[in-house]
């Protein structure tokens, strides 16, 4: 029998996975409780901005392989493999709210008519699968076999389609080898598909130097598969994000010392990054980490450590350093325009938590704007893709969402680069120099060429 897949949760992970599976030839249901999202996908579009995804969704809908629905009873009885991709946000106390995971698995059990593999892709605390298995045992009154597999997701927003096609690893934690084999087989087919598609047409963004080099060095499929215990798979995902967050906070602490001593953070990071044991990635000081994953996964890991009486103070520090970065930015701003920020006009370029996405979850840029407004400034903000999302989250009489870099910079006392979109990196700041109140640039992502900017007559501060 040809496998039929259901994907529960149609967000960044779920929709990308569903669209790729459907294009690779699988009949794929994509289920969400949000009717608006489902209707948008039915019309062949993605509800969020993600490079390359629209082409994949449109084609999958056109060939009829992608079936968006809000109905578990339409999808689950027809499927033999179900991927859970619902959100796992933080509770107030930092623990992970598993409400959506349990709700969705409960609906799956209710609607299942035949043997099923449930693949947990949402990021969850270790031992969640055990809890799900217990729930399945209690609720599954039909004589059907339901296996739980943990296959955590490692895609990165802004390159989600690319990462799903050319995954660097597939971790499969399973108690049942046959269930693990099934999941590996699906990804084998995705891998084969990735080799035959005209991806230049689909994902031109993939063809920058980094991705070319990455593809040239991508190991064979078999070398990218890691079979583990279920608990290891769950734990290693949160471990990966906590470790990357730690690198960012580490770099930010070093940058604080650089600020006091005259050392240049980029030179320090370049120097240690040349050590292959350390590596250069994620050693970028600046506004700090944000987004739908790192903040909640760090908190979740702290919570897990506490639950098992493991002292993991290092992660408490990672979190503290990160939230302290807003103060660092404010202090740098004061160095540029003076102690009293009241009434000053500040331009904030970038609202999304990183370039290439419309996602503003836990965005440091939004936290910064909130602080600046509290300090009495007037903020003119611009983002190439995330403005609509930001408008839903935060409005204030002293915050103006602008339509262009030029309009956002009009009469500004300082231009703050909060997200390193290419549009901001490549912009000719000379062209707006005369429209500014003060020629100040605060580069919170170290993404501009300091020498060029200062030669043009700007006061420039980076990290
Ligand atoms: N976004 C990323 O870059 C990324 C990367 C790796 C792992 N993850 C993990 O994957 C999971 C999903 O993340 P995301 O960013 O795609 O989330 P998201 O918020 O974009 O999407 C989650 C979707 O689940 C839907 N949902 C909630 N309850 C449901 C239910 N009972 N039935 C059907 N749909 C339901 C929501 O309406 C929403 O559309 C999280 O655990 C996250 O930590 C995310």
């Amino acid at each position: 029998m040809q496998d039929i897949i259901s994907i529960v949760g149609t967000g960044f992970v779920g929709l990308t996975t569903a669209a790729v599976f459907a294009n690779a030839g699988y009949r794929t249901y994509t289920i969400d409780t949000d009717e608006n999202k489902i209707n948008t996908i039915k019309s062949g579009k993605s509800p969020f901005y993600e490079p390359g995804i629209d082409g994949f969704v449109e084609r999958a809908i056109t060939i009829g392989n992608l079936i968006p629905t809000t109905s578990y009873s339409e999808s689950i009885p027809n499927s033999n493999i179900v991927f859970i991709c619902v959100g796992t946000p933080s509770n107030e106390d930092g623990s992970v709210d598993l409400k959506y995971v349990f709700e969705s698995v409960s609906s799956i059990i209710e609607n299942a008519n035949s043997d099923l593999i449930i693949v947990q892709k949402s990021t969850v605390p270790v031992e969640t699968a055990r809890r799900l298995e217990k729930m399945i045992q209690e609720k599954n009154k039909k004589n059907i076999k339901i296996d739980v597999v943990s296959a955590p997701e490692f895609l990165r927003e802004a390159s989600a389609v690319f990462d799903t096609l050319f995954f660097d690893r597939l971790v499969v934690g399973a108690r049942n080898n046959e269930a693990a084999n099934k999941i590996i087989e699906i990804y084998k087919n995705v891998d084969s598909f990735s080799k035959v598609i005209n991806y230049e047409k689909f994902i031109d963004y993939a063809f920058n130097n980094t991705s070319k080099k990455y593809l040239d060095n991508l190991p064979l499929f078999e070398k990218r598969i890691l079979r583990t215990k279920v608990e290891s798979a769950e734990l290693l995902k949160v471990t990966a994000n906590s470790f990357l967050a730690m690198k960012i906070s580490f770099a930010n602490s070093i940058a604080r010392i650089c600020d006091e001593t005259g050392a240049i953070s980029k030179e320090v990071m370049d120097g240690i990054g040349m050590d292959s044991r350390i590596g250069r990635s994620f050693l970028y000081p600046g506004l700090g980490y944000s987004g739908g994953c790192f903040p909640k996964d760090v908190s979740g890991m702290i919570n897990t450590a506490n639950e098992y009486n493991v002292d993991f103070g290092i992660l408490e520090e990672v979190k503290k350093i990160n939230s302290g970065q807003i103060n660092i930015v404010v202090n740098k701003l004061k160095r540029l325009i003076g102690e009293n920020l009241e009434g000053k006009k500040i331009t904030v370029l970038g609202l999304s938590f990183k370039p290439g996405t419309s996602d503003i979850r836990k965005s440091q840029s939004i936290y910064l704007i909130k602080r600046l407004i509290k300090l009495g400034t007037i903020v003119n903000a611009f983002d190439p893709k995330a403005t609509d999302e930001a408008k839903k989250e935060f409005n204030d009489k002293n915050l103006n969402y602008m339509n262009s870099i030029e309009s956002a910079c009009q009469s500004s006392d300082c231009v703050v680069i909060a997200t390193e979109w290419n549009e901001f990196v490549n912009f000719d700041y000379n062209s707006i120099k005369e429209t500014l109140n003060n020629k100040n640039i605060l580069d919170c992502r170290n993404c501009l060429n300091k020498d060029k900017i200062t030669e043009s007559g700007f006061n420039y501060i980076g990290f």
Side-chain angles (χ1 to χ4, degrees):
M1 168 196 132
Q2 155 87 24
D3 294 315
I4 299 181
I5 297 171
S6 276
I7 309 263
V8 184
T10 310
F12 291 91
V13 171
L15 182 58
T16 309
T17 307
V20 168
F21 286 177
N23 276 283
Y26 286 100
R27 193 168 170 74
T28 310
Y29 290 91
T30 180
I31 311 163
D32 207 289
T33 43
D34 183 336
E35 215 172 320
N36 288 334
K37 273 192 183 175
I38 291 301
N39 287 335
T40 307
I41 299 162
K42 276 184 180 162
S43 73
K45 294 195 183 80
S46 164
F48 49 83
Y49 173 71
E50 180 62 44
I53 197 155
D54 279 330
F56 271 73
V57 172
E58 193 189 345
R59 180 170 180 271
I61 293 285
T62 308
I63 61 176
N65 269 359
L66 185 64
I67 308 146
T69 178
T70 52
S71 161
Y72 281 81
S73 59
E74 181 194 343
S75 47
I76 300 300
N78 294 318
S79 315
N80 61 325
I81 304 174
V82 186
F83 286 77
I84 309 287
C85 302
V86 297
T88 47
S90 287
N91 287 313
E92 289 268 299
D93 65 357
S95 62
V96 182
D97 183 356
L98 290 171
K99 179 175 68 190
Y100 304 118
V101 172
F102 282 95
E103 274 173 12
S104 57
V105 173
S106 175
S107 306
I108 293 165
I109 303 167
E110 253 170 57
N111 288 283
N113 286 337
S114 50
D115 293 357
L116 207 60
I117 302 172
I118 296 181
V119 188
Q120 175 62 270
K121 258 201 174 304
S122 297
T123 305
V124 293
V126 59
E127 294 206 298
T128 299
R130 235 196 279 282
R131 290 176 61 192
L132 291 176
E133 285 160 347
K134 193 160 169 267
M135 182 174 112
I136 291 167
Q137 223 171 29
E138 285 162 11
K139 289 201 169 189
N140 176 14
K141 303 289 176 227
K142 305 163 199 164
N143 190 22
I144 56 173
K145 186 166 165 284
I146 303 180
D147 281 301
V148 177
V149 171
S150 172
E153 181 55 62
F154 297 95
L155 67 75
R156 298 158 301 172
E157 281 174 38
S159 59
V161 178
F162 183 82
D163 292 347
T164 306
L165 287 167
F166 307 105
F167 48 92
D168 61 353
R169 77 206 106 150
L170 171 67
V171 175
V172 185
R175 308 199 202 284
N176 176 345
N177 247 335
E178 270 174 44
N181 291 343
K182 256 284 168 239
I183 308 314
I184 292 169
E185 185 189 310
I186 292 174
Y187 277 87
K188 178 80 193 154
N189 288 329
V190 168
D191 184 55
S192 306
F193 169 65
S194 76
K195 293 192 170 95
V196 298
I197 56 163
N198 179 4
Y199 43 77
E200 247 173 295
K201 193 174 145 221
F202 273 119
I203 41 171
D204 51 356
Y205 67 92
F207 285 85
N208 57 41
N209 284 337
T210 326
S211 38
K212 249 203 168 85
K213 203 169 145 199
Y214 170 85
L215 290 181
D216 287 345
N217 294 313
L218 194 64
L220 290 174
F221 176 78
E222 289 70 22
K223 294 244 156 67
R224 288 179 276 149
I225 308 302
L226 181 69
R227 290 173 188 262
T228 66
K229 275 189 74 177
V230 175
E231 288 70 29
S232 312
E234 292 172 326
L235 185 61
L236 75 83
K237 167 66 199 175
V238 197
T239 305
N241 279 356
S242 301
F243 192 83
L244 293 173
M246 182 181 72
K247 283 185 93 175
I248 294 171
S249 283
F250 196 94
N252 277 327
S253 296
I254 299 297
R256 291 179 192 183
I257 298 177
C258 291
D259 271 348
E260 298 300 322
T261 58
I264 295 170
S265 72
K266 184 179 177 300
E267 293 177 351
V268 177
M269 297 308 148
D270 282 348
I272 64 165
M274 288 163 91
D275 183 335
S276 61
R277 294 168 304 174
I278 297 173
R280 183 65 174 90
S281 66
F282 281 76
L283 289 175
Y284 293 94
L287 197 41
Y289 63 79
S290 38
C293 293
F294 282 16
K296 81 172 173 62
D297 291 349
V298 169
S299 296
M301 184 66 124
I302 292 170
N303 199 269
T304 297
N306 288 341
E307 214 172 286
Y308 295 94
N309 290 320
V310 175
D311 183 358
F312 208 160
I314 194 172
L315 274 189
E316 296 278 7
E317 280 303 312
V318 166
K319 211 172 143 178
K320 199 172 112 199
I321 293 161
N322 200 59
S323 45
Q325 288 308 105
I326 303 289
N327 281 342
I328 302 277
V329 173
V330 170
N331 289 339
K332 284 178 188 270
L333 195 60
K334 286 180 177 173
R335 264 168 58 200
L336 277 169
I337 59 179
E339 275 301 306
N340 186 6
L341 297 181
E342 206 164 341
K344 298 283 194 228
K345 262 195 168 178
I346 310 294
T347 304
V348 174
L349 296 181
L351 296 160
S352 57
F353 85 95
K354 70 188 240 189
T357 178
S358 55
D359 193 350
I360 55 142
R361 285 179 288 183
K362 301 263 187 269
S363 168
Q364 286 283 84
S365 167
I366 306 277
Y367 290 134
L368 174 64
I369 291 172
K370 287 181 178 172
R371 174 73 70 79
L372 291 175
I373 284 173
K374 244 189 183 157
L375 291 166
T377 71
I378 297 147
V379 175
N380 284 348
F382 171 70
D383 189 286
K385 296 287 178 194
T387 305
D388 288 346
E389 288 304 310
K391 277 183 184 168
K392 285 186 222 160
E393 156 104 7
F394 183 54
N395 288 288
D396 190 279
K397 65 176 181 9
N398 287 331
L399 168 62
N400 306 305
Y401 290 108
M402 311 304 283
N403 292 325
S404 64
I405 302 177
E406 289 84 351
S407 59
C409 290
Q410 197 79 35
S411 311
S412 177
D413 288 300
C414 184
V415 177
V416 178
I417 317 277
T419 316
E420 66 279 30
W421 282 91
N422 279 338
E423 283 87 338
F424 308 150
V425 177
N426 300 326
F427 186 70
D428 174 13
Y429 290 90
N430 257 325
S431 68
I432 46 123
K433 212 161 71 176
E434 300 313 321
T435 70
L436 301 170
N437 252 354
N438 284 298
K439 296 174 188 56
N440 293 319
I441 294 189
L442 174 49
D443 181 359
C444 296
R445 298 295 175 187
N446 275 355
C447 60
L448 303 184
N449 183 327
K450 182 184 174 183
D451 294 340
K452 243 172 103 179
I453 291 283
T454 42
E455 268 164 32
S456 307
F458 283 94
N459 305 310
Y460 171 97
I461 292 188
F463 271 79

